[in-house]
PDB file of all heavy atoms in Angstrom:
ATOM      1  N   VAL I  52      44.452 -15.870  50.636  1.00 95.00           N
ATOM      2  CA  VAL I  52      44.354 -17.020  49.744  1.00 95.00           C
ATOM      3  C   VAL I  52      43.703 -16.552  48.453  1.00 95.00           C
ATOM      4  O   VAL I  52      42.729 -15.802  48.477  1.00 95.00           O
ATOM      5  CB  VAL I  52      43.504 -18.138  50.383  1.00 95.00           C
ATOM      6  CG1 VAL I  52      43.326 -19.303  49.418  1.00 95.00           C
ATOM      7  CG2 VAL I  52      44.121 -18.607  51.690  1.00 95.00           C
ATOM      8  N   GLY I  57      37.633 -21.692  41.930  1.00 91.00           N
ATOM      9  CA  GLY I  57      37.767 -22.769  42.902  1.00 91.00           C
ATOM     10  C   GLY I  57      39.130 -23.433  42.926  1.00 91.00           C
ATOM     11  O   GLY I  57      39.417 -24.224  43.832  1.00 91.00           O
ATOM     12  N   ARG I  65      52.394 -12.832  55.399  1.00 90.00           N
ATOM     13  CA  ARG I  65      53.408 -11.775  55.340  1.00 90.00           C
ATOM     14  C   ARG I  65      53.322 -10.858  56.556  1.00 90.00           C
ATOM     15  O   ARG I  65      52.222 -10.503  56.993  1.00 90.00           O
ATOM     16  CB  ARG I  65      53.219 -10.929  54.079  1.00 90.00           C
ATOM     17  CG  ARG I  65      53.422 -11.666  52.772  1.00 90.00           C
ATOM     18  CD  ARG I  65      53.101 -10.768  51.592  1.00 90.00           C
ATOM     19  NE  ARG I  65      53.331 -11.429  50.309  1.00 90.00           N
ATOM     20  CZ  ARG I  65      52.938 -10.943  49.141  1.00 90.00           C
ATOM     21  NH1 ARG I  65      52.292  -9.771  49.105  1.00 90.00           N
ATOM     22  NH2 ARG I  65      53.173 -11.597  48.025  1.00 90.00           N
ATOM     23  N   SER I  73      45.486  -0.133  64.991  1.00 81.00           N
ATOM     24  CA  SER I  73      44.247  -0.798  65.396  1.00 81.00           C
ATOM     25  C   SER I  73      44.092  -2.072  64.582  1.00 81.00           C
ATOM     26  O   SER I  73      44.726  -2.245  63.531  1.00 81.00           O
ATOM     27  CB  SER I  73      43.034   0.114  65.175  1.00 81.00           C
ATOM     28  OG  SER I  73      42.826   0.344  63.791  1.00 81.00           O
ATOM     29  N   ASN I  94      44.211  -8.746  35.567  1.00 94.00           N
ATOM     30  CA  ASN I  94      44.902  -8.132  34.431  1.00 94.00           C
ATOM     31  C   ASN I  94      45.561  -9.191  33.540  1.00 94.00           C
ATOM     32  O   ASN I  94      45.604  -9.044  32.320  1.00 94.00           O
ATOM     33  CB  ASN I  94      45.947  -7.135  34.922  1.00 94.00           C
ATOM     34  CG  ASN I  94      45.324  -5.893  35.550  1.00 94.00           C
ATOM     35  OD1 ASN I  94      44.167  -5.560  35.269  1.00 94.00           O
ATOM     36  ND2 ASN I  94      46.077  -5.213  36.392  1.00 94.00           N
ATOM     37  N   GLU I 101      40.254 -12.813  28.484  1.00 93.00           N
ATOM     38  CA  GLU I 101      39.242 -13.389  29.370  1.00 93.00           C
ATOM     39  C   GLU I 101      38.747 -12.345  30.367  1.00 93.00           C
ATOM     40  O   GLU I 101      39.545 -11.622  30.964  1.00 93.00           O
ATOM     41  CB  GLU I 101      39.826 -14.582  30.137  1.00 93.00           C
ATOM     42  CG  GLU I 101      40.297 -15.727  29.259  1.00 93.00           C
ATOM     43  CD  GLU I 101      39.149 -16.554  28.708  1.00 93.00           C
ATOM     44  OE1 GLU I 101      38.012 -16.415  29.216  1.00 93.00           O
ATOM     45  OE2 GLU I 101      39.381 -17.324  27.762  1.00 93.00           O
ATOM     46  N   ASP I 110      36.535 -11.259  57.304  1.00 93.00           N
ATOM     47  CA  ASP I 110      35.663 -11.459  58.468  1.00 93.00           C
ATOM     48  C   ASP I 110      35.658 -10.234  59.383  1.00 93.00           C
ATOM     49  O   ASP I 110      35.111 -10.277  60.480  1.00 93.00           O
ATOM     50  CB  ASP I 110      36.079 -12.708  59.260  1.00 93.00           C
ATOM     51  CG  ASP I 110      37.520 -12.622  59.754  1.00 93.00           C
ATOM     52  OD1 ASP I 110      38.136 -11.538  59.645  1.00 93.00           O
ATOM     53  OD2 ASP I 110      38.038 -13.640  60.254  1.00 93.00           O
ATOM     54  N   GLN I 112      34.378  -6.683  60.240  1.00 91.00           N
ATOM     55  CA  GLN I 112      33.323  -5.696  59.990  1.00 91.00           C
ATOM     56  C   GLN I 112      33.893  -4.288  59.931  1.00 91.00           C
ATOM     57  O   GLN I 112      33.515  -3.478  59.082  1.00 91.00           O
ATOM     58  CB  GLN I 112      32.259  -5.777  61.092  1.00 91.00           C
ATOM     59  CG  GLN I 112      31.003  -4.953  60.831  1.00 91.00           C
ATOM     60  CD  GLN I 112      30.203  -5.483  59.659  1.00 91.00           C
ATOM     61  OE1 GLN I 112      29.971  -6.687  59.548  1.00 91.00           O
ATOM     62  NE2 GLN I 112      29.769  -4.604  58.783  1.00 91.00           N
ATOM     63  N   ARG I 125      37.971   9.292  60.544  1.00 58.00           N
ATOM     64  CA  ARG I 125      38.715   9.650  61.756  1.00 58.00           C
ATOM     65  C   ARG I 125      40.123   9.062  61.772  1.00 58.00           C
ATOM     66  O   ARG I 125      40.923   9.396  62.629  1.00 58.00           O
ATOM     67  CB  ARG I 125      37.943   9.187  62.986  1.00 58.00           C
ATOM     68  CG  ARG I 125      36.662   9.978  63.236  1.00 58.00           C
ATOM     69  CD  ARG I 125      35.951   9.492  64.479  1.00 58.00           C
ATOM     70  NE  ARG I 125      35.482   8.108  64.325  1.00 58.00           N
ATOM     71  CZ  ARG I 125      34.878   7.417  65.284  1.00 58.00           C
ATOM     72  NH1 ARG I 125      34.681   7.973  66.471  1.00 58.00           N
ATOM     73  NH2 ARG I 125      34.472   6.175  65.065  1.00 58.00           N
ATOM     74  N   HIS I 128      45.638   9.202  60.065  1.00 51.00           N
ATOM     75  CA  HIS I 128      47.024   8.795  59.902  1.00 51.00           C
ATOM     76  C   HIS I 128      47.201   7.779  58.774  1.00 51.00           C
ATOM     77  O   HIS I 128      48.324   7.460  58.402  1.00 51.00           O
ATOM     78  CB  HIS I 128      47.538   8.170  61.209  1.00 51.00           C
ATOM     79  CG  HIS I 128      46.778   6.940  61.607  1.00 51.00           C
ATOM     80  ND1 HIS I 128      45.560   6.998  62.236  1.00 51.00           N
ATOM     81  CD2 HIS I 128      47.065   5.620  61.446  1.00 51.00           C
ATOM     82  CE1 HIS I 128      45.127   5.766  62.464  1.00 51.00           C
ATOM     83  NE2 HIS I 128      46.014   4.917  61.993  1.00 51.00           N
ATOM     84  N   GLU I 133      46.717   3.147  51.016  1.00 66.00           N
ATOM     85  CA  GLU I 133      45.895   2.088  51.578  1.00 66.00           C
ATOM     86  C   GLU I 133      44.422   2.243  51.214  1.00 66.00           C
ATOM     87  O   GLU I 133      43.617   1.362  51.496  1.00 66.00           O
ATOM     88  CB  GLU I 133      46.036   2.055  53.108  1.00 66.00           C
ATOM     89  CG  GLU I 133      47.455   1.913  53.633  1.00 66.00           C
ATOM     90  CD  GLU I 133      48.098   0.587  53.263  1.00 66.00           C
ATOM     91  OE1 GLU I 133      47.379  -0.311  52.784  1.00 66.00           O
ATOM     92  OE2 GLU I 133      49.319   0.459  53.437  1.00 66.00           O
ATOM     93  N   THR I 152      34.227 -15.881  60.688  1.00 90.00           N
ATOM     94  CA  THR I 152      35.598 -16.236  61.052  1.00 90.00           C
ATOM     95  C   THR I 152      35.814 -17.741  60.984  1.00 90.00           C
ATOM     96  O   THR I 152      36.898 -18.218  60.622  1.00 90.00           O
ATOM     97  CB  THR I 152      35.916 -15.733  62.464  1.00 90.00           C
ATOM     98  OG1 THR I 152      35.734 -14.313  62.504  1.00 90.00           O
ATOM     99  CG2 THR I 152      37.334 -16.070  62.873  1.00 90.00           C
ATOM    100  N   ALA I 156      39.493 -19.256  55.633  1.00 92.00           N
ATOM    101  CA  ALA I 156      40.674 -20.114  55.487  1.00 92.00           C
ATOM    102  C   ALA I 156      41.971 -19.359  55.726  1.00 92.00           C
ATOM    103  O   ALA I 156      42.977 -19.952  56.137  1.00 92.00           O
ATOM    104  CB  ALA I 156      40.679 -20.741  54.091  1.00 92.00           C
ATOM    105  N   ILE I 166      45.134 -27.918  66.724  1.00 76.00           N
ATOM    106  CA  ILE I 166      45.225 -28.912  65.656  1.00 76.00           C
ATOM    107  C   ILE I 166      43.904 -29.040  64.917  1.00 76.00           C
ATOM    108  O   ILE I 166      43.857 -29.042  63.681  1.00 76.00           O
ATOM    109  CB  ILE I 166      45.642 -30.276  66.233  1.00 76.00           C
ATOM    110  CG1 ILE I 166      47.027 -30.192  66.857  1.00 76.00           C
ATOM    111  CG2 ILE I 166      45.615 -31.356  65.160  1.00 76.00           C
ATOM    112  CD1 ILE I 166      47.438 -31.430  67.610  1.00 76.00           C
ATOM    113  N   THR I 174      41.670 -28.020  55.286  1.00 87.00           N
ATOM    114  CA  THR I 174      40.775 -28.824  54.451  1.00 87.00           C
ATOM    115  C   THR I 174      40.037 -27.943  53.450  1.00 87.00           C
ATOM    116  O   THR I 174      39.789 -28.342  52.311  1.00 87.00           O
ATOM    117  CB  THR I 174      39.779 -29.590  55.331  1.00 87.00           C
ATOM    118  OG1 THR I 174      40.495 -30.453  56.217  1.00 87.00           O
ATOM    119  CG2 THR I 174      38.836 -30.435  54.488  1.00 87.00           C
ATOM    120  N   LEU I 186      48.753 -38.840  65.781  1.00 48.00           N
ATOM    121  CA  LEU I 186      49.901 -38.927  66.687  1.00 48.00           C
ATOM    122  C   LEU I 186      51.211 -38.930  65.893  1.00 48.00           C
ATOM    123  O   LEU I 186      52.153 -39.643  66.224  1.00 48.00           O
ATOM    124  CB  LEU I 186      49.801 -40.195  67.548  1.00 48.00           C
ATOM    125  CG  LEU I 186      48.577 -40.269  68.469  1.00 48.00           C
ATOM    126  CD1 LEU I 186      48.540 -41.618  69.167  1.00 48.00           C
ATOM    127  CD2 LEU I 186      48.609 -39.143  69.487  1.00 48.00           C
ATOM    128  N   CYS I 202      74.105 -46.847  74.851  1.00 84.00           N
ATOM    129  CA  CYS I 202      74.789 -47.303  73.634  1.00 84.00           C
ATOM    130  C   CYS I 202      75.727 -46.251  73.056  1.00 84.00           C
ATOM    131  O   CYS I 202      76.374 -46.501  72.040  1.00 84.00           O
ATOM    132  CB  CYS I 202      73.767 -47.722  72.580  1.00 84.00           C
ATOM    133  SG  CYS I 202      72.716 -46.371  72.001  1.00 84.00           S
ATOM    134  N   GLU I 205      74.272 -40.942  69.235  1.00 84.00           N
ATOM    135  CA  GLU I 205      73.743 -39.579  69.300  1.00 84.00           C
ATOM    136  C   GLU I 205      72.217 -39.633  69.290  1.00 84.00           C
ATOM    137  O   GLU I 205      71.616 -40.314  68.468  1.00 84.00           O
ATOM    138  CB  GLU I 205      74.235 -38.764  68.098  1.00 84.00           C
ATOM    139  CG  GLU I 205      73.912 -37.291  68.218  1.00 84.00           C
ATOM    140  CD  GLU I 205      74.513 -36.480  67.078  1.00 84.00           C
ATOM    141  OE1 GLU I 205      73.928 -36.500  65.978  1.00 84.00           O
ATOM    142  OE2 GLU I 205      75.581 -35.860  67.281  1.00 84.00           O
ATOM    143  N   GLU I 213      51.306 -33.080  69.007  1.00 57.00           N
ATOM    144  CA  GLU I 213      50.710 -32.479  70.197  1.00 57.00           C
ATOM    145  C   GLU I 213      51.652 -31.506  70.888  1.00 57.00           C
ATOM    146  O   GLU I 213      51.283 -30.840  71.844  1.00 57.00           O
ATOM    147  CB  GLU I 213      50.287 -33.572  71.188  1.00 57.00           C
ATOM    148  CG  GLU I 213      49.038 -34.343  70.761  1.00 57.00           C
ATOM    149  CD  GLU I 213      49.274 -35.185  69.520  1.00 57.00           C
ATOM    150  OE1 GLU I 213      50.399 -35.679  69.338  1.00 57.00           O
ATOM    151  OE2 GLU I 213      48.330 -35.330  68.737  1.00 57.00           O
ATOM    152  N   GLY I 214      52.912 -31.431  70.430  1.00 58.00           N
ATOM    153  CA  GLY I 214      53.841 -30.442  70.976  1.00 58.00           C
ATOM    154  C   GLY I 214      54.820 -30.993  71.991  1.00 58.00           C
ATOM    155  O   GLY I 214      55.606 -30.248  72.563  1.00 58.00           O
ATOM    156  N   ARG I 221      67.751 -44.661  69.487  1.00 79.00           N
ATOM    157  CA  ARG I 221      67.204 -45.819  68.773  1.00 79.00           C
ATOM    158  C   ARG I 221      67.122 -47.058  69.654  1.00 79.00           C
ATOM    159  O   ARG I 221      66.391 -48.010  69.345  1.00 79.00           O
ATOM    160  CB  ARG I 221      68.036 -46.110  67.535  1.00 79.00           C
ATOM    161  CG  ARG I 221      69.509 -46.329  67.799  1.00 79.00           C
ATOM    162  CD  ARG I 221      70.291 -46.323  66.498  1.00 79.00           C
ATOM    163  NE  ARG I 221      71.733 -46.376  66.732  1.00 79.00           N
ATOM    164  CZ  ARG I 221      72.624 -46.199  65.780  1.00 79.00           C
ATOM    165  NH1 ARG I 221      72.223 -45.941  64.548  1.00 79.00           N
ATOM    166  NH2 ARG I 221      73.923 -46.259  66.042  1.00 79.00           N
ATOM    167  N   THR I 240      72.703 -39.992  83.748  1.00 35.00           N
ATOM    168  CA  THR I 240      73.167 -40.631  84.970  1.00 35.00           C
ATOM    169  C   THR I 240      72.044 -41.442  85.587  1.00 35.00           C
ATOM    170  O   THR I 240      70.881 -41.187  85.306  1.00 35.00           O
ATOM    171  CB  THR I 240      73.646 -39.569  85.967  1.00 35.00           C
ATOM    172  OG1 THR I 240      72.572 -38.650  86.208  1.00 35.00           O
ATOM    173  CG2 THR I 240      74.831 -38.810  85.423  1.00 35.00           C
TER     174      THR I 240
END
Side-chain angles (χ1 to χ4, degrees):
V52 176
R65 296 175 178 169
S73 67
N94 291 337
E101 299 284 346
D110 59 9
Q112 189 67 46
R125 290 181 295 177
H128 61 280
E133 304 295 349
T152 302
I166 297 172
T174 300
L186 298 175
C202 64
E205 189 175 79
E213 286 67 33
R221 56 192 173 190
T240 57

